[in-house]
Amino acid sequence: MNLGNHLLKAAMLSSISIASLSVGSVAFAQDNTPQASDEADENVIIVTATKREQTLQEVPVAVSVTSAEAIERSQVRDLRDLQTLVPTLRVGQFQESAQVSFIIRGYSSGANNSGIESSIGVFIDGVYRSRSAAAISDLPNLQRVEVLRGPQSTLYGKNSSAGVISIVTAAPSYEYGGSAEISYGNRNAIVARADITGPISDNIAFSLAGGINKADGYGTNLTDGSKTSDRNRWYSRAQLLIEPTENVRLRIIGDYDKIDESCCFVGNVFGGPTVAAIRAVGGNINAGGGLSYSEYQNFSAENNVTNGGISMQADYEMGSLNLTSISAYRESRNKTNSDSDFSGADLIGQNRGDVDIVTKTQELRLTSDFDGPFNFLLGGFYMDENIKRDDELLLGRDTRNYLNALTGGQFLALEPLIRVVAGGLAFAGPFGGEGQGRAEKWDYDNETFSVFGTADLEITDGLIVTGGFNYTKDKKNVVSNIAVTDVFSAIDLVQAGGVLLAQGGVPAVLPAGAVGNTSILYPRITPCPNTDGPAQICNPLLAFAPIQFIPPFLNIPNAVENGRSSDDKLTYSLRVAWEASDNINLYASYGTGFKSTSWNLSIDSRPFAADFVPGSLAQGAPIAPSAIRTAGLATNNLTTGTRYADPEKATVMEMGLKAKWDSVAFNLTIFDQSIKDFQGNSFIGTGFVLTNAGKQSVKGLEFDGSFNPIDALELRAAVVYLDAKYDSYPASQYGDLSGKSVGGVPEWSTTLGATYTAPLNDDISLILNADYSYQSNVKISDDPAYSQYQREVNNLGASATLVAENGVQFSLWARNLTNEKYFYGIFPSVIQDGSVSGYPTQPRTFGASVKYKF
């Protein structure tokens, strides 16, 4: 990636679009370094949640703000750790280093499929990060993190239907300064980082930052003793602040980071009947031992992630009008390979993925700063994104014998029978042969633009009415090129069984019922034994259908499916804010949000039922006509599903109270939020299913507050109550979930914290800090079959820091101090029907750090 060229392009784009010149008190607030008083009290920190400079008490939006000081004292190392300080936010790390799921008020999606944007928008210094891989960061030079709850369509150009995470870093300073830090902890954890800032001239300042984060893995591969879920990442970041005049300000940021890890540990939650077959072929599995952080794998996972980009924010103050432009170019590449069956048998020989994401964004905002009762914000946003996926899944050397063991020796007996007796059914290669599988290539293009804005009118002193709008137009184009070489999965078992039955060869070789009955996949020809009466034909081959894991794929676009989507939506918000007194602010709001169509970029992308009716032409009865069959596109074993999920439409009603006195401050929000056609993406053991819920809703209460009984002691508390359910979800992958609670969303979440600062002498102070987070017991999965799997979260962290006047700090710290163990996610084990796998939480970490600020 040539950052110099992209910087030049960004500069030209900003200049051509008037562009770069903006926002006095509004946009500049995103760059300002907190004042000393801000460092001491989070409740007066200046935030830009509404794109205006306001205190946390004043901003009439449900927002949680975490300062750099709070992150430092709690030893938060990345976005996953942030959830221990913000009870409305949950962050999950799944099968890859780059697969991180952000959840606000129970809503999220898209972590495991690059065709799905998250319902939660992530912005770093105003730049939209469209996928979780592009949002991974060790959070250098943080100023604050703002978590906005609910749809934010009228304030952010990229429409986010469930919330926004806005990360703000410190801009360069005209005073020389910086810091250097090194930390060492258990599992040989080393974190080293440094930054420096200062002037180049009277109107140009710079900053440089870099760091590494390394640790041995906490999971053990029992096959060879190697470690999984390690840390091995580094980052670099450079900034320039250019102020050619008092009204013009340019902030240019270039960054590059890299991850090279073996991620992520998956343990066995429950070992089903397939464990015996795995052991029969020479493999092993640590059945039920997932929380021991030990597993069997026949090769280590590989995760190689690189992110880089350049952005330029340009601000121009024109008296009472301010213009802002943010131009950005970003690249993200994620290369992975994993033993996805998570066992010592070589069942999945390779599960390789290579995802390249190129994103170009441009935002323009015009804001007013009038002295009168009326002010406004008007903006435009454009994004052009391309995603290329190159994936490959291959069967391993043990797959063939494993399938034979599962079927009591019948799988291998079936192969010569079909090959010899049914010679007319041509196929090449052995059933379940090593190296067979699928090769996927996807090309995804997304172009979106929006116009958005808000207007404030102060009716009387302290009473402000705000209205906002967002019009979004989104176009996507998807092309697939998928080749499947799995021989057995391509066989029409109805046709093969018919030929064998006609020749009388099936019963002698495959005793009826030996494999067991399955659901009827095709009418008129049923599995054996025949339970549907003598009028049906008994075909024992149909019992093998569940192990046809990788059937042929129908690529898009084709004569019936054009691989395109085009959406547009007008969303809006209304809000009344009242400053009841110098200490109390109240607000009430109603807002709507939108997320466009998401595409299923995986092997489980299948035609809609409206385009295809499944069935074998050999079944002996007419098949209902369908467009795909009429066009001659039907393949053996083609089934229906979804190619994409329809857009999400969000609404939220909120009432909030924000209060602050000298020693006490608190915020209270009551809300009712819902998303129609929520896009759900779930793993079912052989792939991901993308569906729309009819409606998912959550009603709740959010409280956070602080109390300073004495100057040296700060006490913090936050409580969140969520009643999250599927109002309507009849076509989920788990059946009808209508009226059910949403899996993984705890009813109660709490964070408690305390910080005590004590001067030891004139030069040294001691800071003691403790944070506790709690989540009430909740079912982990939406699958009713897994209702017995639940979790309760209790997480305690603590630190002790000596701070010297000369800028030296020394800290002892621990996270998950009580070493709580639980599974934060579970799923059906890959090609192991009846077994359950899961992701356990990270065990206790502790260490010491030395930091020098100058």
Side-chain angles (χ1 to χ4, degrees), residues 658-713:
K658 301 194 175 191
K660 186 178 187 303
W661 292 270
D662 290 340
S663 60
V664 177
F666 68 88
N667 307 307
L668 176 65
T669 306
I670 301 172
F671 65 91
D672 185 348
Q673 185 173 336
S674 65
I675 296 182
K676 292 183 178 179
D677 295 321
F678 180 76
Q679 297 169 358
N681 184 52
S682 299
F683 187 69
I684 58 171
T686 56
F688 289 91
V689 175
L690 176 62
T691 56
N692 283 110
K695 182 181 179 182
Q696 180 179 337
S697 68
V698 59
K699 298 177 177 65
L701 177 149
E702 298 161 336
F703 170 88
D704 65 87
S706 63
F707 175 47
N708 294 80
I710 57 176
D711 290 342
L713 179 62

Side-chain angles (χ1 to χ4, degrees), residues 469-483:
F469 79 97
N470 180 301
Y471 174 76
T472 294
K473 179 72 174 180
D474 184 278
K475 294 182 179 180
K476 294 183 173 73
N477 184 35
V478 178
V479 177
S480 71
N481 182 10
I482 297 178

